[in-house]
Amino acid sequence: MSSFAHLNLVYQSFVAEPYTPNIGATLHGLDLSLPLSELVQTELKAALARYEVIFFRDQVLTPAQQVAFTRSFGQVNEVKAFFPRVESQPEIEIVESTAERPAANNNWHSDITWQANPPIGTSLYAQVIPDSGGDTVWASMTTAYEGLPTDFKAYLETLSAMHTWEVTGWTEYLLRQDATGEQLQAARAKYPPVTHPVVRVHPITGKKILYVNPTFTTHIHGLPRPQSDALLAQLFGLITAPEVQARFCWQPNSVAVWDNRSTQHYAVADFYPQHRKLHRVTFTADQTF
């Protein structure tokens, strides 16, 4: 029997309804506001690894209850990013867009792959939802990899790539905060570019994952820039196939939890000037892979 056979068992604690054939499931039968037993937490982690993103509807949670639930999946610490936080629960970031501040995250990415040990996942809880629009889309990088030709997969497994935050808007943001450039230099010193294998192995499922993303991956080591750009463009294009995607329509009191190792996500910015607000909790492990 495979050492990963537990991922395919019928769960005792809830019913998992597949969201698409390749990624995602809606879980029924749990009240996330209540303390969760060790069995429930074990099954939740197995379901997340198997389906890569899991959804819950009609969950009424306080900030403290969201944090407690998220701890089922990994370590939860006070966030250190630039998003505002819930004052009573500093582990929660407020992801909010309004007519006055139409912030968007409409680009494909895995969170913080520019660190050597990126987060392993995130929970997102709906607070204010537009009348229409504002969906989030996830892509399975497991499915994207599995669809490639055998020889091409073998070649990709020999490659590594550089990831950095400096190709995003953070560089301009830090310069606006401090025109002397001292904040930017400090950030560069604290978070230099990192290298990750182009193909990684998920520590729970044992499946191989395509581990490059358009937001943070800049180039393939050992290739001339034109060849690197062409190869990355080809790999980034795999994310756009509907067959690897799950598009989630938010409703009030919806919760989504995703595996940051095996997925990328995209926040659809089609709802302005409507108001959209979610609470986000990131979870980590001592070793991501």
Side-chain angles (χ1 to χ4, degrees), residues 48-285:
L48 180 61
R50 177 183 178 187
Y51 294 106
E52 303 183 328
V53 57
I54 52 179
F55 306 117
F56 306 83
R57 298 290 193 185
D58 303 318
Q59 300 290 331
V60 180
L61 303 175
T62 65
Q65 288 168 341
Q66 183 188 357
V67 171
F69 159 68
T70 306
R71 285 201 173 98
S72 301
F73 301 96
Q75 302 166 15
V76 174
N77 303 305
E78 182 175 334
V79 294
K80 299 178 177 64
F82 296 102
F83 288 95
R85 309 172 193 180
V86 173
E87 185 173 344
S88 64
Q89 207 71 47
E91 301 94 339
I92 298 179
E93 296 171 298
I94 302 171
V95 180
E96 186 170 23
S97 301
T98 64
E100 294 75 29
R101 299 186 63 187
N105 207 6
N106 55 332
N107 48 64
W108 284 107
H109 64 285
S110 300
D111 289 333
I112 320 183
T113 61
W114 42 266
Q115 288 188 358
N117 205 47
I120 62 172
T122 300
S123 79
L124 204 56
Y125 179 42
Q127 302 290 303
V128 180
I129 299 304
D131 292 335
S132 63
D135 297 350
T136 303
V137 188
W138 284 267
S140 169
M141 305 316 297
T142 311
T143 303
Y145 172 82
E146 288 174 346
L148 296 174
T150 301
D151 290 348
F152 190 32
K153 287 193 284 192
Y155 170 62
L156 293 176
E157 288 175 32
T158 69
L159 302 176
S160 61
M162 179 169 286
H163 296 240
T164 177
W165 56 270
E166 288 198 57
V167 289
T168 67
W170 290 119
T171 300
E172 291 76 13
Y173 173 85
L174 291 172
L175 285 173
R176 288 196 302 270
Q177 296 293 108
D178 175 15
T180 68
E182 289 185 9
Q183 281 194 27
L184 176 59
Q185 292 304 320
R188 283 174 171 163
K190 186 174 182 180
Y191 299 115
V194 299
T195 294
H196 293 294
V198 169
V199 177
R200 305 218 67 154
V201 177
H202 195 286
I204 297 177
T205 67
K207 293 183 177 181
K208 292 178 179 177
I209 302 158
L210 188 62
Y211 202 69
V212 292
N213 70 85
T215 300
F216 301 124
T217 309
T218 56
H219 64 275
I220 305 287
H221 292 297
L223 293 183
R225 180 62 69 151
Q227 293 180 21
S228 171
D229 290 347
L231 178 55
L232 285 175
Q234 180 182 2
L235 299 179
F236 296 158
L238 300 173
I239 308 166
T240 64
E243 288 81 0
V244 308
Q245 295 179 358
R247 179 166 178 154
F248 187 61
C249 181
W250 291 97
Q251 298 170 0
N253 298 324
S254 294
V255 177
V257 183
W258 69 89
D259 189 318
N260 194 57
R261 296 167 290 203
S262 57
T263 67
Q264 295 184 37
H265 56 282
Y266 183 107
V268 182
D270 60 355
F271 57 92
Y272 305 116
Q274 298 182 81
H275 185 192
R276 180 179 184 267
K277 179 181 178 181
L278 304 107
H279 282 179
R280 182 173 80 176
V281 180
T282 299
F283 51 94
T284 63

